[in-house]
Amino acid sequence: MWDTICRLEAMKCADAHFSQLQDVFWKDKIEGGARIVKFHNTHASALDILNEIPTSAGIYDDSFRLHVSMISGLLFGELVDRIQGTQIELSSIFDNRIRLLTNPCSDLEVTIVLCLNDARKRHAKFVDQLVEFGTVPPDFDINPQTIAFQALFDITILSQNYIHAINAALSQLTPHTSANRERRSELKELLKAAQTDFNEDYDSLRKIGPPPPGCDPFISSIVPSSAGILLRTEIAIWSIFM
């Protein structure tokens, strides 16, 4: 999908293939009225593709709208499944990172961090797409805001728990040996990065708005940055008025 193309060279190659399909392989079809479009793996992009479908004299508008509604339901369900699947993936990644705190392996840590960053990006993208989806398909008794809030709530909890795990690992290492001092230095660097991640997760949770009905407000058990302190105050205010 076009949203997975990041590097400039890859995009140029993809555009070249697209032009070849358009100007060579499917030229006759396109000249006969066919269209090809790029799918960007978003709800809006899917609807743009559907809007390109011509309605012939034998297709009634109501039937076409019903068809679009059915596809919209499939897209919505797939998006919810992707969010839930990515949350499970993130939970597993954080569990592995916590295990590495007491059984370090630098090569495995690098791999896990790459997986974590990739999962974070996909998770954030899916949540944004859910928020922007628009009208919920009629077959779903779901509040997108609730799903989005809970998804961001859960990843913020994971970030917070990871910070607690790092602090616990640090407390078990006395600085009396060179090996311990080296490991403590490594853990402190991990702690700085984890604090940054937590602050970003915390900020994303703030931006989504107050907890929807049925959702608990997030109460931080660690000392956040100045931005995080502001967020904690705002969430506390939300909880009072909910």
Side-chain angles (χ1 to χ4, degrees):
M1 297 181 187
W2 288 86
D3 68 307
T4 63
I5 303 173
C6 300
R7 294 184 301 173
L8 180 60
E9 296 82 359
M11 181 60 72
K12 289 180 179 179
C13 183
D15 281 327
H17 284 306
F18 186 86
S19 297
Q20 188 178 37
L21 290 173
Q22 182 174 255
D23 301 333
V24 180
F25 291 104
W26 295 335
K27 181 179 180 180
D28 294 341
K29 298 290 185 182
I30 292 173
E31 289 177 349
R35 295 285 305 276
I36 61 173
V37 293
K38 300 175 181 178
F39 179 50
H40 296 278
N41 198 27
T42 65
H43 171 249
S45 179
L47 291 183
D48 286 342
I49 292 173
L50 291 176
N51 289 332
E52 292 292 335
I53 300 175
T55 54
S56 64
I59 301 179
Y60 295 99
D61 289 342
D62 288 344
S63 298
F64 181 70
R65 281 195 292 270
L66 176 61
H67 182 62
V68 172
S69 176
M70 292 171 62
I71 295 178
S72 179
L74 292 174
L75 291 173
F76 185 84
E78 174 68 17
L79 188 53
V80 172
D81 288 343
R82 288 188 179 191
I83 290 174
Q84 293 173 344
T86 310
Q87 286 179 251
I88 294 173
E89 181 182 355
L90 283 166
S91 180
S92 176
I93 291 173
F94 272 101
D95 285 344
N96 288 328
R97 290 202 80 187
I98 289 174
R99 293 190 190 98
L100 284 176
L101 294 175
T102 51
N103 297 283
C105 174
S106 58
D107 291 340
L108 185 56
E109 176 71 22
V110 170
T111 300
I112 289 179
V113 169
L114 290 174
C115 292
L116 175 61
N117 292 338
D118 176 68
R120 277 182 174 277
K121 289 178 182 178
R122 285 185 282 113
H123 185 265
K125 180 179 70 174
F126 296 152
V127 170
D128 288 343
Q129 290 175 356
L130 183 68
V131 172
E132 297 171 359
F133 194 91
T135 303
V136 178
D139 292 338
F140 290 86
D141 185 18
I142 293 176
N143 181 358
Q145 194 73 8
T146 298
I147 297 176
F149 180 89
Q150 194 62 51
L152 296 176
F153 181 99
D154 290 345
I155 193 173
T156 307
I157 287 288
L158 291 173
S159 291
Q160 179 173 261
N161 290 344
Y162 183 56
I163 290 176
H164 285 310
I166 296 175
N167 283 324
L170 276 168
S171 68
Q172 295 174 6
L173 292 174
T174 59
H176 299 312
T177 66
S178 59
N180 279 4
R181 286 194 294 271
E182 182 179 353
R183 182 55 183 161
R184 283 178 62 86
S185 178
E186 294 171 352
L187 288 175
K188 287 179 180 179
E189 289 300 315
L190 285 177
L191 185 59
K192 290 180 182 178
Q195 183 72 55
T196 299
D197 289 341
F198 171 76
N199 289 335
E200 291 177 356
D201 294 332
Y202 209 21
D203 188 54
S204 295
L205 184 62
R206 177 187 63 82
K207 290 178 180 178
I208 201 70
C215 293
D216 295 327
F218 181 83
I219 304 299
S220 176
S221 60
I222 62 176
V223 179
S225 67
S226 57
I229 292 172
L230 176 60
L231 170 60
R232 186 172 183 176
T233 303
E234 291 176 353
I235 291 181
I237 293 173
W238 291 337
S239 65
I240 292 173
F241 289 98
M242 287 301 293

